[in-house]
Every structure is written in structure tokens, then in C-alpha cells.
Amino acid sequence: VWITNGVNSRVNDKNYISLANSSSDWKFPDSHCSSFGGDGNKCILLGNKDTRRIVVIGDSHAEQWYPRFVKYADNNAIKRPEIVFLTLGGCPASSGISRVKPGIRCTTFTDQVWNYVTHEKIDRLVIASRWVQYFYREDGLIASSLCFAKNDHCFKNVTSSTDISIVFNQLTQKLLLLKKRDIDIQIIGPVPGNNDNYPYLKSKEIAALHLPLMHLAYKQQQPDSFLLEVAGRHEILTQLQVVANATGATFTDPGSIMCSNGMCSYV
């Protein structure tokens, strides 16, 4: 079972097989990456016949874009700019804040990130994070998972809407310094997602249709779409738009692209 990665032959449903294999095209970090900022990663995808440099900063939600560009990194037939990913899972792409949960060295990472983007030649900066869940719980209350910090030591937890505004104001101040250098700034809003492990639940549902007795034990059906709006999403979109307006950045809400009429078919 271990050698064959499960007994996939028991389920010949093409949807199940596709879902089970879907993670194989997502590898991070890889040979293009090295350690950066404590526990973070610096991944350099070299350019070809294009002198521009694009830097992507953020958490694991920034890392999820990485494989989209890797397949072009070694293809010298394609003209492309250099793309640098500076990421650390669990750390939002702001400054002066960290996670209350011990062991995550956010300020060590972000201090080096902002030092890099301040002193290196950059043509475009892309910022992406799992914005909403850092600040809001599923019930809409403040999550209190972040803190204002220095040298990875918290001195005040983020516990109010005022604190959240301060976090985004700190991000604004960093970006205003880059604006003076005429750097194109792109801010990516929260990618749609629900609070369930959707791929896991969907694979169980599909498997249950084909495995003896399992369909009796597991009757829950997973819909093929979910609601776009989750607690705190509107508030965070508003904060990000304020940052974009103040810094001249371009703000993109993936929900407006991936969803229709408030329902999303991608997670």
C-alpha cells in the first residue's frame, strides 16, 4: 500500500484519481530556493532576455503561485523577467508584527524582506497573504493571533479593529518608500476558501460511491461550490484598498475573478 501510494485501483473514478494526483504539480521549496530570513525561503527564477525583476513577498498563500512560474524558469526559448519569491508560511507580508504562537520568527523574516526590497533593484513588488484568517475568526471576532513585535518578541497583541488599522498603516508606510522609487506595486487580496478541508472531504465523498459499505458510513455530500463571503473578508478588502489608494498600488481581489454571484467553484 505504501509503495503504490494507496490502493487507487479500488477506485477507478477519474475524478477521484485526478483529485488524488493533483498535489503532484505543487512543489515548494525546490532547487531554486535557499534559506532566507530565519526560517523563510528565497527562490530565484532567473530571467531571460529581460532585465526586469519581480519580487513576490508573503506567506504560504504567496508560495501557492510559485509553481505557475517554475515551468518557465529553465526554458530559454521564453523571454521572461527574473522572479524572486521571499516567503515564510504563517507570516503576513507586513512589518513589525509576528504570530502570538511561539516558534514562528516573523519579524526576523520581514525585517530582511523589507531590507531586501528597499536596497535591491526591483521593477515590480507583488504582495500576497492569507489576509483574513490572521485577523478574524470564523465567528467574526478578532482572532488575536498576531502581535506587534520586535526581534520576534511580542509586546502587544492585535485585539481590536484599531490595531488592525495600525498593522495596515505600517504596511502603507513601507510601500510609500518604494513608491518614491517608481516601483510597480501589486497587492493580491485573499484567495477564496472555506473553513473545511474541501479536497479531503470531496475525495471521501467520491470514494464512498465506489467502495463497499463506505457509502453507508459516509453519506455527507460536498457541494461543488461554496460561499465567497467569510467573516472579516469585507473588512480586510476595505483595508487593502485603503493601502492601495494611499500608495498608488494596484489591488486585485481574486474573488472577483474566481467566483460568480457570491459562489466559488475553486478553493
Side-chain angles (χ1 to χ4, degrees):
V1 172
W2 176 77
I3 291 175
T4 60
N5 193 29
V7 191
N8 291 330
S9 59
R10 294 190 67 196
V11 182
N12 294 318
D13 189 302
K14 64 179 182 179
N15 291 320
Y16 179 84
I17 296 172
S18 176
L19 191 62
N21 294 335
S22 63
S23 64
S24 63
D25 63 358
W26 198 100
K27 294 180 176 66
F28 186 93
D30 61 10
S31 60
H32 300 284
C33 303
S34 60
S35 178
F36 180 86
D39 302 315
N41 288 284
K42 178 182 182 181
C43 306
I44 302 176
L45 305 178
L46 296 176
N48 183 53
K49 301 176 183 178
D50 189 329
T51 60
R52 293 174 300 161
R53 175 184 286 158
I54 299 171
V55 177
V56 181
I57 65 174
D59 56 10
S60 61
H61 279 227
E63 293 170 359
Q64 72 178 351
W65 301 106
Y66 178 73
R68 169 65 178 82
F69 301 97
V70 169
K71 68 177 182 178
Y72 299 108
D74 300 316
N75 187 341
N76 290 325
I78 298 176
K79 180 180 178 180
R80 62 185 183 276
E82 178 178 288
I83 303 179
V84 180
F85 276 75
L86 303 176
T87 63
L88 175 57
C91 292
S94 188
S95 65
I97 57 173
S98 190
R99 296 288 295 277
V100 173
K101 181 180 180 181
I104 303 180
R105 302 165 60 193
C106 289
T107 56
T108 295
F109 170 72
T110 55
D111 285 350
Q112 290 196 34
V113 165
W114 291 106
N115 181 66
Y116 179 93
V117 300
T118 300
H119 294 97
E120 295 290 333
K121 173 191 176 295
I122 296 176
D123 297 281
R124 171 175 292 168
L125 178 68
V126 181
I127 305 173
S129 286
R130 187 182 185 232
W131 301 105
V132 176
Q133 288 80 3
Y134 287 123
F135 298 99
Y136 289 95
R137 303 187 330 192
E138 294 179 25
D139 57 10
L141 298 177
I142 304 294
S144 299
S145 62
L146 297 179
C147 63
F148 296 101
K150 187 174 183 179
N151 298 326
D152 294 319
H153 294 291
C154 295
F155 57 82
K156 184 183 185 302
N157 289 1
V158 176
T159 59
S160 67
S161 57
T162 299
D163 290 338
I164 294 175
S165 295
I166 292 174
V167 172
F168 284 99
N169 183 61
Q170 291 178 168
L171 176 60
T172 298
Q173 298 309 310
K174 290 290 187 182
L175 295 180
L176 285 174
L177 297 176
L178 302 183
K179 182 182 179 181
K180 295 179 180 179
R181 294 166 50 198
D182 199 29
I183 295 174
D184 176 35
I185 301 171
Q186 302 282 331
I187 301 175
I188 309 299
V191 172
N194 58 1
N195 294 315
D196 296 321
N197 187 335
Y198 183 85
Y200 171 73
L201 295 174
K202 192 66 177 178
S203 64
K204 285 188 69 175
E205 178 200 339
I206 296 173
L209 299 174
H210 303 272
L211 300 180
L213 300 181
M214 186 175 174
H215 66 283
L216 298 177
Y218 190 80
K219 298 179 179 179
Q220 182 178 355
Q221 289 188 337
Q222 299 303 317
D224 290 327
S225 61
F226 58 92
L227 290 174
L228 169 62
E229 293 302 324
V230 294
R233 184 177 187 276
H234 174 75
E235 289 79 0
I236 295 303
L237 289 182
T238 300
Q239 293 278 5
L240 291 171
Q241 189 63 64
V242 169
V243 174
N245 293 341
T247 60
T250 300
F251 173 63
T252 301
D253 172 21
S256 65
I257 302 169
M258 299 169 68
C259 308
S260 178
N261 298 321
M263 298 299 295
C264 306
S265 298
Y266 303 90
V267 66

